[in-house]
Amino acid sequence: MRPGRWAAGLAAAAALTACGTSDTAAGPTTTTEAAQPGPFFGVCGQLTDDEVRQAFAVPAFATVTRNSVGCEWEVSGPTGPSVSFSWYRGSPIGRERAGSELIGRPAADLEVAGRSGFEALYQDALGQPVLCESALQYGSDFVHLSVTYADVTPTADPCVVGRQLLETVAERAQ
């Protein structure tokens, strides 16, 4: 069950349970803020395959996968160089940032088009940047880009690629 449906079901169950009680003692009142959804990003954040290819500095992609939550551009299969875009509705960006830090990718603050987010870099044993995650917050939503060169010598700095693509996504957000 998707998180939104689960929360709605839980709220409905709580309301039904409350209607069936005869307890008139009033407890403390709590309020919760309504989620503020971000803009519409469209398929792949409205990034074209050619824009991703040019930013990533590779000649071609072997596979491009598109689905309802994101896209992945792969150079040589699932373990090779790739760029992925994901759009998270109603999900905390802080959890994604903490996960990056937990697995050894220290996160730094990032701002693109007035939006705050983070950037997390991973370097190989030679100190080359080979993977970078970049994310921007939009209300209760966030978008996330992961750029990895895997075991291939990088043709561009993965964080520069991520920032460039995030700028394009931010420009086109509706």
Side-chain angles (χ1 to χ4, degrees), residues 50-115:
D50 200 42
E51 289 169 329
V52 176
R53 184 189 55 74
Q54 288 176 2
F56 199 45
V58 295
F61 294 112
T63 306
V64 178
T65 304
R66 293 174 178 81
N67 61 45
S68 62
V69 295
C71 298
E72 185 158 12
W73 295 266
E74 297 173 330
V75 174
S76 60
T79 59
S82 67
V83 174
S84 67
F85 169 83
S86 300
W87 174 15
Y88 294 89
R89 303 284 304 199
S91 183
I93 192 172
R95 181 171 49 209
E96 189 74 21
R97 181 181 184 139
S100 292
E101 291 179 340
L102 187 64
I103 59 174
R105 298 180 196 143
D109 291 340
L110 174 69
E111 185 175 316
V112 172
R115 296 290 175 175

